[in-house]
């Protein structure tokens, strides 16, 4: 059984990730950019190679054996996703390119169908641009209005303000589960409960939470949940939109073409059943199978154990970084995932990132596609170290030494 009392053997797990074992700029790689994308275990790479080397074929079309293999594996991966996030039905999982496409899909289908002039959509001040701009486009086209829940200096949402924003014109709440710029984990169950008390559906942007927190969409009771495979140790170009059946059934298709139809004449087209109605064209078959392999892998490691180890690592990193003079952590919420976003005096974050890179340490610098968060703190950018379960205390120590070196260069 995988329990938090049964600690992870990190050195052994690291062996599963070939990318980690290399030198960058003459130093062992310290990969701390996991919020941008995480590394892939060998079993995911093998699943991609196996598909292309032995089963490559289109899905849902051929009677031939390879097509049947490909279809079986593609659909088996969907069932793995269902089990992983505890959805009720396989057909509630739509394969998309990633979180961005999942949110655009909801905005362009559910949004256009249900949100009109004067209606309101609630998001938060800590959204990634992909949970802002699709709604802005919708509001511009429909005359609806975007409302924003503010957050405090620690990066915690002001739930009293949320309560005030909810009103008779609110048609949708769309909230990030874990902030990519600050690490804040938002109280999704409370947010969803308050919206549902008024009959308002809720979309959860799970791009950052999916690799770190065990997700149960039925327990959360969210109406939509979006995530990307590549942040969950899976391939790029594949992601999931979960939606409750009754909502997906009512929504019009997003893209049109092959596979999403039941019959076509020049007079009339009948759409396919779920999930195919939303999967027009040849999908990312290899990506789906790779995502399934990634889910097998993290389930084997154990999501509870991952969460508990990463919390420990975050506490260690927070303690070490906050001892550095002039370092300011951006994002100090009580409920926080493995993100250490910071500024260092008036040294530009790009300089921090460049000097760290010269020591083999990979972090991200910039606004992290969350410019309103930077505006809230009146800073142009941060340096961000983001953790995965394969990171170690020794790597945090190397980061701290790297930051000391940055300070030396600028002293
Ligand atoms: N939502 C959140 C909270 C994210 O962190 C990201 C990507 C997305 C949505 C979009 O995901 P995509 O897979 O469709 O691109 N965040 C980051 C990041 O923090 N650094 O690079 C990408």
């Amino acid at each position: 059984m995988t329990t938090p009392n049964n600690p992870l053997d990190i050195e052994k797990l690291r062996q599963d990730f070939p990318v980690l074992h290399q030198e960058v700029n003459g130093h062992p790689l310290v990969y701390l950019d996991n919020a941008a994308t995480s590394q892939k275990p060998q079993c995911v790479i093998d699943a991609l190679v196996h598909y292309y080397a032995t089963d490559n074929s289109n899905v849902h079309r051929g009677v031939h054996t390879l097509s049947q293999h490909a279809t079986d594996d593609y659909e088996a991966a969907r069932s793995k996703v269902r089990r992983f996030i505890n959805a009720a039905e396989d057909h509630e999982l739509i394969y998309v390119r990633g979180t961005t496409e999942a949110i655009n899909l909801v905005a362009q289908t559910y949004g256009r169908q249900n949100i009109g002039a004067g209606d309101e959509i609630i998001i938060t001040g800590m959204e990634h641009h992909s949970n802002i701009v699709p709604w802005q486009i919708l509001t511009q086209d429909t005359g609806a209005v975007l409302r924003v829940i503010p957050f405090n200096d620690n990066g915690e949402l002001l739930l009293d303000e949320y309560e005030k924003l909810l009103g008779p014109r609110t048609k949708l709440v769309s909230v990030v589960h874990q902030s990519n710029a600050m690490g804040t984990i938002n109280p999704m169950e409370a947010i969803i409960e308050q919206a549902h008390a008024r009959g308002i559906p809720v979309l959860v942007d799970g791009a950052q939470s999916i690799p770190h927190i065990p997700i149960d969409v039925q327990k959360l009771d969210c109406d939509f949940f979006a995530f990307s495979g590549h942040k969950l140790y899976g391939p790029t170009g594949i992601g999931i939109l979960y939606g409750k059946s009754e909502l997906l059934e009512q929504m019009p298709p997003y893209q049109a073409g092959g596979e999403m139809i039941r019959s076509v004449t020049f007079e009339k087209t009948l759409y396919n059943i779920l999930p195919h109605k939303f999967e027009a064209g040849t999908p990312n078959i290899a990506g789906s199978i790779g995502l399934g392999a990634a889910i097998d892998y993290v389930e084997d490691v154990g999501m509870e154990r991952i969460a508990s180890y990463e919390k420990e690592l975050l506490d260690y990193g927070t303690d070490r970084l906050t001892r550095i003079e002039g370092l300011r952590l951006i994002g100090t919420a009580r409920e926080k995932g493995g993100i250490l976003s910071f500024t260092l005096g008036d040294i530009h974050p790009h300089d921090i990132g460049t000097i760290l890179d010269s020591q083999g340490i990979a972090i991200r610098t910039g606004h992290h596609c969350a410019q309103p968060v930077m505006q809230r703190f009146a800073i142009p950018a941060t340096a961000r170290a983001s953790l995965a379960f394969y990171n170690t205390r020794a790597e945090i120590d190397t980061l701290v030494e790297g930051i000391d070196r940055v300070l030396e260069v600028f002293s």
Side-chain angles (χ1 to χ4, degrees):
M1 248 230 347
T2 53
T3 68
N5 299 331
N6 178 6
L8 298 177
D9 183 346
I10 303 301
E11 286 311 321
K12 186 156 173 286
L13 291 170
R14 285 177 69 84
Q15 294 305 319
D16 298 333
F17 293 82
V19 142
L20 298 177
H21 308 287
Q22 63 177 303
E23 292 205 340
V24 170
N25 296 322
H27 299 268
L29 170 66
V30 172
Y31 187 78
L32 294 169
D33 194 18
N34 296 287
T37 199
S38 57
Q39 299 302 345
K40 319 307 170 198
Q42 189 63 46
C43 61
V44 168
I45 300 166
D46 288 346
L48 298 177
V49 171
H50 177 82
Y51 167 72
Y52 282 121
T54 67
D55 290 336
N56 179 50
S57 199
N58 216 325
V59 289
H60 298 139
R61 299 159 207 236
V63 292
H64 63 80
T65 304
L66 290 196
S67 175
Q68 283 168 10
H69 285 174
T71 305
D72 288 349
D73 290 351
Y74 177 76
E75 289 304 332
R78 198 190 305 272
S79 300
K80 288 177 189 179
V81 177
R82 175 186 51 70
R83 207 184 51 235
F84 186 58
I85 65 170
N86 194 32
E89 308 279 352
D90 281 7
H91 66 240
E92 293 179 314
L93 287 324
I94 313 294
Y95 285 127
V96 289
R97 270 197 301 133
T99 311
T100 303
E101 188 174 45
I103 298 173
N104 277 277
L105 189 161
V106 177
Q108 292 300 320
T109 59
Y110 183 87
R112 287 197 182 272
Q113 194 174 46
N114 296 287
I115 301 172
D119 288 339
E120 297 177 2
I121 302 158
I122 298 180
I123 59 170
T124 78
M126 63 178 86
E127 300 305 327
H128 185 277
H129 296 162
S130 64
N131 198 24
I132 302 173
V133 187
W135 306 116
Q136 259 169 353
I137 290 173
L138 183 69
T139 58
Q140 278 157 16
D141 290 352
T142 60
V145 181
L146 200 55
R147 310 297 298 269
V148 181
I149 313 169
F151 58 84
N152 67 20
D153 290 343
N154 294 324
E156 294 162 328
L157 287 179
L158 302 179
L159 293 177
D160 293 354
E161 298 297 322
Y162 171 52
E163 179 77 42
K164 284 187 226 156
L165 288 175
L166 285 165
R169 298 308 304 261
T170 313
K171 286 288 158 32
L172 185 75
V173 173
S174 190
V175 169
V176 66
H177 196 175
Q178 177 178 316
S179 156
N180 69 321
M182 299 184 290
T184 310
I185 297 172
N186 287 317
M188 289 318 307
E189 286 189 31
I191 289 169
I192 292 166
E193 220 173 272
Q194 274 173 282
H196 283 182
R198 293 166 180 79
I200 304 160
V202 180
L203 184 154
V204 179
D205 171 352
Q208 293 295 339
S209 56
I210 196 81
H212 307 296
I213 305 170
I215 300 293
D216 181 332
V217 290
Q218 293 190 77
K219 187 156 167 276
L220 274 175
D221 199 24
C222 54
D223 301 276
F224 299 106
F225 189 96
F227 72 89
S228 306
H230 70 94
K231 298 191 201 271
L232 181 64
Y233 313 102
T236 50
I238 188 71
I240 292 288
L241 171 67
Y242 158 80
K244 285 183 179 167
S245 282
E246 59 267 32
L247 292 170
L248 294 176
E249 290 286 3
Q250 286 163 25
M251 284 154 51
Y254 176 47
Q255 292 181 334
E259 192 54 27
M260 51 74 71
I261 54 86
R262 196 157 49 187
S263 72
V264 178
T265 66
F266 287 120
E267 288 70 41
K268 188 172 171 57
T269 291
L270 293 176
Y271 302 135
N272 208 336
I273 52 168
L274 292 175
H276 314 294
K277 181 172 83 173
F278 292 106
E279 293 179 1
T282 299
N284 183 352
I285 304 163
S288 307
I289 294 169
L291 174 60
I295 288 175
D296 286 342
Y297 183 83
V298 291
E299 282 188 328
D300 202 37
V301 178
M303 285 308 294
E304 296 284 353
R305 291 200 299 170
I306 288 175
S308 111
Y309 174 74
E310 288 179 351
K311 170 93 183 73
E312 220 178 273
L313 202 58
L314 175 68
D315 288 346
Y316 180 72
T318 305
D319 182 56
R320 292 237 42 198
L321 259 61
T322 46
R323 287 166 194 265
I324 298 172
E325 214 178 302
L327 187 144
R328 177 187 177 202
L329 270 187
I330 301 296
T332 48
R334 265 160 308 179
E335 295 296 327
K336 217 188 131 172
I339 302 259
L340 292 158
S341 212
F342 60 92
T343 58
L344 193 60
D346 52 14
I347 303 172
H348 198 285
H350 287 295
D351 292 332
I352 302 173
T354 307
I355 295 169
L356 291 178
D357 178 57
S358 70
Q359 299 165 78
I361 305 165
I363 63 158
R364 185 176 170 186
T365 63
H367 52 61
H368 314 295
C369 301
Q371 283 186 345
V373 173
M374 304 299 123
Q375 288 150 13
R376 167 69 177 71
F377 288 101
I379 51 175
T382 73
R384 180 189 71 180
S386 52
L387 309 176
F389 68 82
Y390 46 62
N391 290 127
T392 63
R393 284 184 177 221
E395 288 182 310
I396 304 265
D397 294 341
T398 307
L399 171 68
V400 170
E401 285 161 25
I403 297 171
D404 286 343
R405 175 92 190 95
V406 174
L407 287 169
E408 268 168 41
V409 170
F410 280 89
S411 66

